[in-house]
Amino acid sequence: MEINNFIKTIMEDDLKSGKVDEIITRFPPEPNAYLHIGHARAMVTDFELASAFNGYTNLRFDDTNPTKEDNEFVEAIKEDIKWLGYNPKNVYFGSDYFDYDYEMAIKLIKKGLAYVDDLSQEEMSQYRGTLTEPGKNSPYRDRTIEENLKLFEEMKNGVYPDGAKTLRAKIDMASPNINMRDPALYRIIHINHHRQGTKWCIFPMYDFAHPLQDAKEGVTHSLCSLEYDNHRVLYDWVVDNCDIVKKPHQYEFGRLNIENTVLSKRYLRSLVDSKKVSGYDDPRMPTLRGLRRRGYTADAIKSFILSTGLSRINSTIGWDALDVALRDDLKLKALRPNAVIEPLEVVIDNYPEGEIEYLDMPNNQENEELGNHKIAFSKYLYIEKSDFIEVKPNKKWKRLALDVEVRLMHAYFIKATSVEKDNDGNIIRVHATYDPQTKSGSGFEGRKPNGNIHFVEKTTAIPAEFRMINSLLLPETEETKDLDFMERLNPESLVIKNGFVEEFLKDTKPEDKYQFIRNGYYCTDKDSTKDKLVFNRTCDLKSLFTL
Ligand code: ATP
Ligand code: MG
């Protein structure tokens, strides 16, 4: 799928008019969390747009806010970007530009466009005014350039404690845009920065550092989500007043939200910290590593993102659209073996004891190129519990029942004859007979079976755990809509079933993906061992039981 959106049009126009001669974008994650599906929208947009014009994209870690960053996240983010299939041209760290940022701050002070303020955080917000009322000038606003230069240098040299002074832009305390009411450019934080150590105790604010980083890298189109919309004037103010020659420009797009899912970093962290999930890669998590472990492919995620389009409106999309993309991607690629998820034993009474035969089964019915493999058949089999009922209820029942004949796919027709039950009346075993002349591939056309069901031969079957993954949050309803997200957790977000897969899967590896016949798309989990395979359900087949 080709990328096509309003930003692409802007880029085309900019190239045509000569405003830019190439397209350079950047993806700027803060290294304080794992990437999630929302970040994928930003990433796909940055990388696909630049490459559509033979330009390039930098990965820039926005690590100017030193209190929350960690190297663990830096490595994880790099890995996730690579997994998605993107190659940044350069990898930069915003903190590497601290000298440049400092130089630009001095430039602004010398132009009379920045001053050192002694107001506390709290006082500053009182002075800021509101959406309807203008702010007031700080009593420190009119310090001389010399005094500001001296104080700013002292701030840098560690003379003052955290929060004692702030460097602010001198713009307009009455501006209708609150971001323009003398925004902070630098604050004091005595901390050990993950890259800079203790070299700095003053740190630039995002709104100051970001345009400078873009400028330094020659970024032409700085794309970000909609919440930065009313920061754009400030972005331009910094670019203009720092005398940037090749000016970068900011463009905003709507954020992506997913139904019954929360993407906020704070919430994802609390899920992990409270052990409601097993980690950031829990297959229920909307993180890229969670989605990957669940079985979504990078291509499916990319085409999902492209299919949602891009506009200047935030959008909320259901998981279904991602499932559609996954099925499209795997339909012809994935092997389609047999797995019985909720097993019911079937004994074929007229099949010889101790005998086992091997029958041919295509690896993917819709793609001959994937070849065939052998499936075992014997007197002892497993079928899905849901494929049997004692008494056929109506014509629509296209599965097994007493006195009803079905085809075991790629094997024989069988007819159920009796059931064994436990003391509670639960069916524990079905007895059946098979008809040898109905063998698959024999061309038998004598009778029409009452449906086709799959099975796994019992003695060769490998035990498997199936992790049925459902949404982490209950759907939003009248009752749940006011609940805190932690109270809206779906108690059935993970349902474990124990069944069997055919021997063919004995060497399966984590991240191998399958379409289990009539069951859905599954992916081998990293918890899988030789004796107990573990599969995550990625998504259902479009419609169950139709094949
Ligand atoms: P926070 O604001 O809590 O720091 P963030 O989600 O903005 O979180 P960043 O690491 O700053 O996290 O995000 C990197 C980029 O990804 C930003 O440009 C941001 O606009 C974009 N982004 C993040 N979440 C989404 C989303 N849900 N939809 C679209 N873009 C997003
Ligand atoms: Mg952010």
Side-chain angles (χ1 to χ4, degrees), residues 27-30 36 38-39 41-42 224-225 253 255-256 263 265:
F27 174 61
E30 260 185 273
H36 56 59
H39 292 116
R41 171 177 276 186
C224 60
S225 39
F253 54 80
R255 281 178 94 86
L256 173 68
L263 298 178
K265 289 172 179 174

Side-chain angles (χ1 to χ4, degrees), residues 424-460:
D424 299 326
N426 301 314
I427 299 171
I428 50 167
R429 200 166 288 119
V430 174
H431 287 266
T433 55
Y434 88 117
D435 179 352
Q437 62 171 339
T438 59
K439 183 170 175 171
S440 163
S442 67
F444 176 79
E445 281 182 11
R447 307 184 294 279
K448 261 192 135 16
N450 184 55
N452 300 305
I453 67 171
H454 67 281
F455 71 100
V456 170
E457 195 277 328
K458 185 180 169 185
T459 62
T460 52

Side-chain angles (χ1 to χ4, degrees), residues 2 11 33 76 78 105 164 183-184 207 235 282 326 350 380 410 417 419 429 435 440-441 478 488 493 529:
E2 209 180 298
M11 290 174 166
K78 281 187 190 164
D207 282 333
Y235 182 102
D282 186 298
L326 183 85
N350 62 339
Y380 302 101
H410 311 294
T417 52
V419 293
R429 200 166 288 119
D435 179 352
S440 163
E478 271 309 302
R488 219 182 104 191
S493 61
T529 64

Side-chain angles (χ1 to χ4, degrees), residues 138-149:
S138 160
Y140 304 98
R141 198 174 195 259
D142 294 319
R143 280 175 162 154
T144 63
I145 290 173
E146 288 65 37
E147 196 183 353
N148 282 318
L149 286 171

Side-chain angles (χ1 to χ4, degrees), residues 28-30 32 39 62 68 206 225 227-228 255 265:
E30 260 185 273
N32 63 355
H39 292 116
D62 175 12
K68 313 180 285 188
Y206 175 90
S225 39
E227 71 272 22
Y228 295 102
R255 281 178 94 86
K265 289 172 179 174

